[in-house]
Structures are given as structure tokens and as C-alpha cells.
Amino acid sequence: MSSKSMMLAAALIAVCLLAGCRGGGSGSILDPEDVRKGTKGLEMDFIERNPPDEIYEDSTFSLGIELENQGAADITQGILKVGIDRTFMEWDQAPSQVSSVRLEGKTVTRPSGEQDFLNFRLYARPLPPNIETHTTQITVTSCYDYKTIAAFDVCIDTDIYGQGLFEKACEVEDLTSSGQGGPVAVTRAEPTMLPHEKEDRIMPQFRITVANKGGGRSFRKDLVKEMCTGATIDIKGFNTAEVNAYLSEEALECRPHYVNLEERDAEVVCALTEGIPVEFGSYKTPLTVTIDYGYTDSMSKQVEIKDVR
């Protein structure tokens, strides 16, 4: 290949990369900063007219459910449970009322996250002789594992008494966010530079606010199966999430390690207990907060069963 041809090929490859060329895809590309935005996770909806608003007794009908992972984490242990009033309905062809869910989250090349469609067959029992119509409810509950990662650029300033020991490269300030691609989010991080037990060091501390921004409830991440199968769960497993934090690559000591989100938000205090040398001055560095949790949400629809008499 001539040098001119090689230059042309390189230019075409560069254009393709900038334009987001992907085999078999739509070509849409999401800005990396937008991947971890928002407060959604697994979203559910009934497929139109599945089930219908009205059905007849002694007949089968379809229940269709659309699932989409609209957050930034992958769902690897999801469960979907369908609840019906067995006095008036039953499963057709003996299917399971529980289905497993595994959906990848949104990425730079998949802005909407992975989707799935589930279909169930149900049977409407004959109504009692003295009843012409009855309204019953179908409830769908999701339980799944999830992870939120919040990343901030924070200012570290070792001149905690303002003695002018060095030129300031940044200012210590509170940080806020509306969401990081999951229903549980870090909404605020308040940094404080504290004295250390060693005089030549300071201790960065961060007061972090974690909030449940979704419409469901969080629970301990290892209880996905129990949450959707009616197993007995210790009350401490509800409305909780595990929080870890890192300053650059150094793990911080966080208390409490599990936050209680029963009131929708909670605070955790994380500190670099080993400290930072005063001689480091002021500089910016990444603060990363990870939240591991399970999440459950539900939706329901009323269906009217009519007699055929």
C-alpha cells in the first residue's frame, strides 16, 4: 500500500471512530459523563392490552411485561414475580410465577440499556352464579441487585489553619449531584480537613448523603431471592445499602458501613485515617463512592372479569 493510501485509510478510520460506527448498531453514542446520570434502574410496564382491561370468565388471556434497565449497572440476579388472586385466576399451562432477569445497563454505545419482554398465560376462572362481574388485580414485583458509582473531583488542602504555607491550587467546597445512574444515589459530599494525630499530617473527612431517589425500596444486596419469594428476612435487611468510598485509590473508613434508608436518605462519614502529609499542599483528586444494594419495585393493573351468561 502506498503512503498516500495508508494516510487515506487512517483518515477514514478516524472519521468512523468520531462518528460512532458500529457493526449492526444504530450508530448512537452516549457521552461518557451521561452514562452515570439519572436515578432509574429497572423500569417495568405492561404491554398494551396485555392484559386487556376486560376479560371473560372461563377463558385464557396473555400478560405481557416490558423490562428495560435504564440505569448504569448490570442486573445479574434479578427476579420478577407475578401476583394474582387465585380465587378468580390461575396459571395456564402451569408456568412459574417467578422469572429470572438479567439485563445489562446503559453504556456509551448503548444509551438506553438492555430490554426484555416476558409473556405469561393466565386463566380466568368461572364466576360464582350470583356474580356478573368482578374486578381483580394483577401485581408485578421486581427484585434485583444494583450498584451506584459516584465520582467527584475534590480539593485536598493540607493548610487547615490558613497559614499561607503554599499557593492554593483549589478551594475545598461541598459537592452535589442529582443522581449517578441508579435509584440510590449520592446527593451531597461535604469535605472537611481535620488535624491528624501526627503533626505533619492532616485527615480528610467526607460527610456523604445517600438517598433513595426511586419509587421502590432498597434492601441488602444478598437478599434478592428472599425478597421476591416470600422468605423470612431480618428487619435489618430492609431499606439499607452498603457504602464504600475511595480517595484516589486509597480506601476510606466509612461509618456506618450500611446506611438505613427508611427515611429515604441517610448520612455516612468517611475518612482517610492514615492521613496526608502537610507538605502535599492543595490539589484535586478523585473521590469515588460505591453503593451496593438490592432494589424492589412493583406495578399493578386492575382487570374486570365478566360472565358469559
Side-chain angles (χ1 to χ4, degrees), residues 38-158:
T39 56
K40 292 185 177 181
L42 178 62
E43 294 294 306
M44 306 182 293
D45 200 4
F46 291 105
I47 296 175
E48 187 176 2
R49 295 195 57 77
N50 284 275
D53 296 331
E54 298 178 351
I55 56 178
Y56 286 102
E57 63 176 345
D58 193 23
S59 66
T60 60
F61 62 96
S62 177
L63 168 63
I65 301 169
E66 179 182 359
L67 303 174
E68 183 177 355
N69 185 357
Q70 295 187 9
D74 293 342
I75 297 173
T76 60
Q77 302 177 50
I79 292 178
L80 197 76
K81 180 180 180 180
V82 179
I84 58 175
D85 184 347
R86 292 183 177 272
T87 304
F88 296 93
M89 290 183 183
E90 65 181 49
W91 296 98
D92 186 45
Q93 300 174 353
S96 172
Q97 64 178 350
V98 176
S99 296
S100 62
V101 177
R102 291 177 177 82
L103 294 173
E104 295 181 358
K106 60 183 178 180
T107 64
V108 171
T109 56
R110 189 179 52 242
S112 299
E114 192 174 7
Q115 292 179 304
D116 196 9
F117 299 88
L118 301 179
N119 187 70
F120 302 87
R121 295 294 297 175
L122 295 171
Y123 170 71
R125 297 177 183 271
L127 293 172
N130 59 335
I131 297 180
E132 295 182 354
T133 181
H134 176 78
T135 300
T136 187
Q137 184 166 279
I138 299 173
T139 301
V140 180
T141 302
S142 63
C143 306
Y144 57 97
D145 59 312
Y146 224 63
K147 186 185 191 79
T148 297
I149 301 176
F152 304 94
D153 281 333
V154 298
C155 179
I156 302 298
D157 187 352
T158 62

Side-chain angles (χ1 to χ4, degrees), residues 157-228:
D157 187 352
T158 62
D159 184 12
I160 61 177
Y161 296 115
Q163 297 175 309
L165 302 177
F166 40 76
E167 185 177 350
K168 303 285 186 180
C170 57
E171 294 291 334
V172 178
E173 57 185 2
D174 295 348
L175 304 165
T176 60
S177 176
S178 58
Q180 300 88 34
V184 177
V186 174
T187 58
R188 190 175 187 86
E190 303 173 30
T192 305
M193 305 297 126
L194 299 175
H196 194 271
E197 60 183 10
K198 296 181 179 179
E199 293 185 358
D200 62 344
R201 288 176 173 263
I202 62 101
M203 183 175 70
Q205 176 182 281
F206 302 89
R207 185 174 297 275
I208 298 166
T209 302
V210 177
N212 180 2
K213 305 291 285 184
R217 292 197 305 168
S218 66
F219 57 88
R220 215 173 65 205
K221 65 178 181 179
D222 59 337
L223 298 175
V224 171
K225 183 178 180 181
E226 289 81 354
M227 281 295 297
C228 262

